[in-house]
Amino acid sequence: MGGIFQRLIAPEERHKFGQHYTNEDLVDVVNAFCIRKGEDVVFDPACGSGSFLVRAYHRKAYLNPGGAHQNRIGELYGSDISLFAAHLATLNLASRDINEEENYPRIARRNFFEIHADKPFWQLPSGLRGERTTEPIFLPKLNAVVGNPPYVRQELIPRRGDKPKPKLMQAKEDLFDLCKELWGVELTGRSDLHCYFWPASTAFLKDNGWFGFLVSSSWLDVEYGFALQDWVLRNFKIHAILESNAEPWFEDARVKTCAVILQRCDEPKERNEQLVKFVRLDAPLAEILGERAGENSRQAAAEKFRDIISRCKQDAAKEQFRIVVVPQKKLWEDGLRTGKLFALQKQRDLAEGILPGKGGDDDEENGIYDENGNGVLHDEGGIGYGPKFGGGKWGKYLRAPNLYFRIMERNASRFVPLGEIATIRRGITSGCDAFFMPRDVSQEILDKYSKLEWNDAPLHTHCKRGEVESGKVILVRAGDGTVHPIEKEYLKPELHSAMTIYKPLIHAGEVESRVLMVNKPKSAIHGTELDPYF
Ligand SMILES: C[S@@+](CC[C@H](N)C(=O)[O-])C[C@H]1O[C@@H](n2cnc3c(N)ncnc32)[C@H](O)[C@@H]1O
């Protein structure tokens, strides 16, 4: 069903609206978490061909076998910006039972961000042939929001002033305002489109309502995700975050994806007591769920896996999956600690005369409003969000090797975050590491070419052996393999990759990588080894 959707839509539309079909086994697991009763009202704000809703239909039938088709489709809502997708979802749901003539799924061809609780969600046909009319329906309070919202990189989300005005898609500024108005959450200008679906869709949830989204994993670790993390920790219990090591969760998507299961919760004590399960799958989900003949066993298998995850109280490493259990309180406290580090870093920067936002390559535009617009929102040089919560690198709970957890279990109290004992700044983005970050190969060339053979050394420009021996000139190998003599004063030692560190303390003399740094006018390098390059 979804495969057809993927094949038939035009590639440019697929790209613009982030249209990808979702793995149904995964949908079943997400639905098993989020749909608890046969009569639950469920909404998918970006429903595509309707995978979540169709599987939700079957789940409702499993939970309440006596329920009527009309009731089931009356409790399933979906919206999609694409006409084709909305038609497909409508057909896919209606065709679950074609016995009744009045068979109208609640699928709206709409931009989800334009849906409001007090405005009609969609005009539903009513009446039978001859007397057919339409009646407005509204999106009710929901038991569950599920789905796989589009991933669209922030650069591709239109801005308010764009010309020509983009059709259908909402401007970034409107999305920001909407989330702020609904929850007080201020997402950053770097947020991927899927981030705005979280606050906007959960505003329709009832208390204790469930949220199950399949999204790009980057929110777990990158800066734009920290605002989401903060908001999630303040308003939800985080039940589970699942990621697969064994299979991509949908074709065609180049990004790593994770399933996020949350439950609305206004009670701080309950949130603090929540145990978050980070689940890494090391086998395809179909294998984990096992042989399933028929709908009932599909549902039972998804529930069984859900229960294993929910009941797990301590880390568990099985052959097919691993569960790391982290108290929600710890995620919050770690984020506060990071917030303090950011504040400390800011103080250090100010003491050294570095202005917020002028620390280097992090200066890329972070704000929501355009350069000249009012109310420009910057995140102060890309460090920290909100008054206190600084964010966390949660991806480690999914991806770090088991050894990491064993070490932390025994020695956590002996570690401190690096930022507490050192000043951390972003390094250099050269734009061309092959040129600006060569390797020192002086000793290698000295060993290979004796005094007599020196003229045979494959140097890009000639230099005297004695100058290399004395250390005045360094021979560096560039990314294209060529070897160049450069005066030592223009080459600074550089630690290029943490992968090369094998002990806690590294001295400048021990690293091979150099960075070319020339802070003199062109006239001043006349006659040096650098001269031919400028
Ligand atoms: C990843 S796909 C969902 C796939 C779906 N779960 C399935 O298996 O068919 C994301 C969907 O979001 C839709 N979409 C993009 N922007 C939207 C918006 N602003 N409002 C509603 N739907 C949107 C796209 O048309 C696409 O169908």
Side-chain angles (χ1 to χ4, degrees):
M1 169 187 71
I4 301 175
F5 169 53
Q6 186 109 324
R7 281 195 296 279
L8 291 184
I9 44 178
E12 53 290 1
E13 183 179 318
R14 213 152 97 189
H15 192 59
K16 182 172 165 200
F17 294 137
Q19 294 167 329
H20 300 280
Y21 149 71
T22 320
N23 172 319
E24 288 193 352
D25 287 331
L26 182 61
V27 172
D28 279 344
V29 172
V30 171
N31 281 351
F33 270 102
C34 298
I35 304 171
R36 298 296 175 132
K37 294 206 193 90
E39 57 282 7
D40 277 356
V41 181
V42 181
F43 175 50
D44 180 345
C47 65
S49 60
S51 312
F52 277 89
L53 296 174
V54 170
R55 296 306 304 147
Y57 181 98
H58 289 292
R59 177 149 181 79
K60 286 160 87 56
Y62 168 77
L63 292 168
N64 179 13
H69 170 74
Q70 287 290 4
N71 292 344
R72 272 180 218 137
I73 57 169
E75 291 154 356
L76 295 171
Y77 290 77
S79 58
D80 201 287
I81 204 164
S82 150
L83 184 61
F84 181 64
H87 277 329
L88 263 185
T90 307
L91 271 173
N92 282 329
L93 269 182
S95 60
R96 294 305 104 191
D97 184 342
I98 49 170
N99 286 322
E100 288 185 55
E101 194 167 341
E102 265 200 80
N103 188 359
Y104 305 123
R106 272 74 173 153
I107 304 291
R109 187 271 170 116
R110 306 257 329 246
N111 175 354
F112 160 66
F113 296 107
E114 288 171 353
I115 294 170
H116 297 278
D118 51 358
K119 298 207 181 104
F121 171 72
W122 198 234
Q123 296 287 335
L124 207 64
S126 65
L128 297 178
R129 223 168 294 153
E131 69 221 40
R132 194 167 283 166
T133 55
T134 60
E135 64 174 280
I137 52 161
F138 293 77
L139 192 59
K141 277 282 178 193
L142 307 165
N143 299 99
V145 173
V146 288
N148 176 197
Y151 315 161
V152 177
R153 286 207 329 270
Q154 62 98 0
E155 300 87 345
L156 303 177
I157 307 175
R159 312 285 303 234
R160 230 176 235 166
D162 283 355
K163 288 197 178 81
K165 199 169 174 288
K167 278 197 207 134
L168 288 172
M169 284 184 86
Q170 207 87 17
K172 196 184 271 190
E173 294 83 347
D174 298 333
L175 298 174
F176 172 84
D177 288 349
L178 179 68
C179 296
K180 183 157 186 203
E181 187 191 311
L182 290 171
W183 288 95
V185 57
E186 297 192 354
L187 297 181
T188 87
R190 287 188 187 169
S191 304
D192 189 294
L193 182 63
H194 79 77
C195 299
Y196 300 97
F197 276 81
W198 300 43
S201 62
T202 49
F204 291 99
L205 276 182
K206 289 181 181 168
D207 279 351
N208 298 319
W210 289 83
F211 167 96
F213 264 13
L214 180 63
V215 291
S216 148
S217 296
S218 46
W219 75 279
L220 294 169
D221 293 297
V222 302
E223 216 179 6
Y224 77 67
F226 299 160
L228 265 190
Q229 293 177 355
D230 185 1
W231 168 76
V232 162
L233 289 167
R234 286 173 196 266
N235 296 289
F236 296 85
K237 288 195 275 190
I238 309 176
H239 282 263
I241 298 176
L242 300 91
E243 194 178 79
S244 179
N245 228 354
E247 59 186 338
W249 269 341
F250 46 79
E251 323 154 23
D252 205 19
R254 273 141 286 169
V255 274
K256 190 115 183 122
T257 43
C258 66
V260 184
I261 310 289
L262 312 174
Q263 190 180 16
R264 242 195 109 155
C265 175
D266 295 335
E267 191 46 64
K269 186 170 176 290
E270 272 184 50
R271 294 199 303 270
N272 269 339
E273 287 169 358
Q274 177 68 21
L275 295 178
V276 182
K277 318 294 165 59
F278 288 91
V279 187
R280 185 186 75 194
L281 308 194
D282 296 315
L285 197 46
E287 265 176 44
I288 294 175
L289 296 178
E291 280 284 309
R292 284 151 292 155
E295 195 49 56
N296 283 355
S297 64
R298 281 184 77 163
Q299 294 297 336
E303 284 190 349
K304 187 172 162 212
F305 188 44
R306 172 199 74 191
D307 291 343
I308 291 174
I309 297 170
S310 299
R311 290 180 190 147
C312 184
K313 299 278 178 267
Q314 55 191 30
D315 297 356
K318 314 251 182 221
E319 201 185 316
Q320 294 179 312
F321 57 89
R322 181 183 84 180
I323 305 178
V324 171
V325 183
V326 185
Q328 184 157 328
K329 189 166 183 273
K330 174 172 167 29
L331 295 177
W332 177 250
E333 286 171 354
D334 286 353
L336 294 186
R337 194 170 178 182
T338 312
K340 281 189 195 142
L341 275 187
F342 285 141
L344 186 69
Q345 174 81 44
K346 226 180 277 182
Q347 275 170 15
R348 287 180 186 151
D349 281 350
L350 287 173
E352 289 178 35
I354 300 172
L355 297 174
K358 300 288 169 220
D361 297 299
D362 271 355
D363 293 350
E364 274 169 47
E365 183 244 335
N366 245 349
I368 285 290
Y369 293 108
D370 65 310
E371 273 172 22
N372 305 318
N374 297 320
V376 175
L377 176 99
H378 282 289
D379 67 358
E380 301 184 333
I383 45 175
Y385 295 97
K388 286 183 186 149
F389 185 84
K393 300 274 186 186
W394 295 356
K396 66 173 180 259
Y397 298 118
L398 293 164
R399 289 167 225 137
N402 293 343
L403 179 64
Y404 167 83
F405 298 101
R406 285 218 299 280
I407 293 174
M408 292 313 277
E409 203 177 78
R410 289 191 207 145
N411 301 299
S413 61
R414 298 166 71 182
F415 288 103
V416 290
L418 186 59
E420 280 179 12
I421 51 171
T423 302
I424 303 174
R425 271 202 205 101
R426 193 187 155 89
I428 301 160
T429 305
S430 71
C432 180
D433 287 3
F435 180 84
F436 289 105
M437 293 172 174
R439 270 189 329 113
D440 181 348
V441 290
S442 308
Q443 199 53 51
E444 178 191 323
I445 303 285
L446 284 172
D447 291 347
K448 198 162 172 192
Y449 299 93
S450 63
K451 270 188 191 147
L452 289 176
E453 296 162 330
W454 188 249
N455 285 343
D456 297 334
L459 306 184
H460 197 71
T461 54
H462 185 72
C463 82
K464 293 196 179 101
R465 195 175 195 275
E467 286 185 319
V468 182
E469 281 172 334
S470 72
K472 183 174 172 244
V473 167
I474 292 179
L475 300 179
V476 289
R477 181 172 285 132
D480 64 357
T482 52
V483 179
H484 307 256
I486 308 279
E487 279 82 2
K488 185 180 176 201
E489 64 171 305
Y490 300 117
L491 291 166
K492 305 287 175 225
E494 182 235 5
L495 185 62
H496 200 69
S497 157
M499 303 278 282
T500 58
I501 303 178
Y502 53 93
K503 56 184 187 174
L505 197 59
I506 300 285
H507 295 281
E510 295 171 292
V511 294
E512 277 189 346
S513 189
R514 296 284 175 273
V515 56
L516 181 67
M517 280 194 176
V518 186
N519 57 355
K520 289 187 180 162
K522 213 171 152 190
S523 56
I525 57 168
H526 184 66
T528 67
E529 299 285 358
L530 279 176
D531 200 7
Y533 301 96
F534 288 90

